[in-house]
């Protein structure tokens, strides 16, 4: 999983993720927005479920983060719809709306993000 941190002209941090992990980047850009307190909460939750059967979920405005002892899933909240809403012959494109990764990989990105934010 490759990622890049940038600052826009206002100084806000923007995250770009490799193909297949775009939703993770969107989660940082839309939900975290530099909020280290949210990252602290998520990190603490991740560490509490590693090696267990438990899971934890945080629903934000645009994205939901779900994690268990092994995996993290970021899903756009707009994916909550029934299949009957799509016209026949059409399919829903969700490649940039859903990302999965391992907990340890996720925690490495969180740590790198935190470091980048604090480098002002």
């Amino acid at each position: 999983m490759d990622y890049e941190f940038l600052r826009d002209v206002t100084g806000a941090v923007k995250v770009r993720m490799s193909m297949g992990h775009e939703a993770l980047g969107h989660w940082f850009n839309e939900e975290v927005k530099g909020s280290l307190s949210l990252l602290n909460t998520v990190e603490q939750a991740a560490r509490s479920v590693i090696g267990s059967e438990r899971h934890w979920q945080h629903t934000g405005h645009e994205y939901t983060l779900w994690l268990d002892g092994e995996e993290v899933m970021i899903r756009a909240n707009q994916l909550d719809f029934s299949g009957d809403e799509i016209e026949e012959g059409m399919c829903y494109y969700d490649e940039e709306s859903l990302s999965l990764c391992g907990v340890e990989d996720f925690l490495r990105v969180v740590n790198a993000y935190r470091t980048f934010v604090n480098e002002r």
Side-chain angles (χ1 to χ4, degrees), residues 30-31 58-63 77:
E30 298 297 325
E31 303 295 339
H58 178 268
T59 304
H61 295 288
E62 299 289 327
Y63 290 86
N77 294 340

Side-chain angles (χ1 to χ4, degrees), residues 5-16 29 116 120:
F5 304 120
L6 309 160
R7 290 194 188 273
D8 66 13
V9 293
T10 67
V13 175
K14 297 294 178 191
V15 180
R16 288 188 193 158
N29 295 334
F116 187 83
R120 292 191 183 228

Side-chain angles (χ1 to χ4, degrees), residues 66-81:
W66 184 89
L67 54 91
D68 64 19
E70 298 177 359
E71 190 171 56
V72 174
M73 178 177 67
I74 306 283
R75 188 189 82 219
N77 294 340
Q78 69 185 4
L79 290 182
D80 286 335
F81 66 92

Side-chain angles (χ1 to χ4, degrees), residues 15-71:
V15 180
R16 288 188 193 158
M17 299 297 294
S18 58
M19 187 178 241
H21 295 101
E22 295 97 340
L24 181 54
H26 298 320
W27 179 78
F28 277 103
N29 295 334
E30 298 297 325
E31 303 295 339
V32 177
K33 297 180 185 177
S35 171
L36 298 183
S37 64
L38 175 57
L39 290 183
N40 291 339
T41 300
V42 170
E43 268 185 315
Q44 184 178 17
R47 295 193 194 293
S48 74
V49 299
I50 289 176
S52 75
E53 296 291 320
R54 294 179 310 216
H55 68 274
W56 184 85
Q57 179 175 311
H58 178 268
T59 304
H61 295 288
E62 299 289 327
Y63 290 86
T64 296
L65 179 141
W66 184 89
L67 54 91
D68 64 19
E70 298 177 359
E71 190 171 56

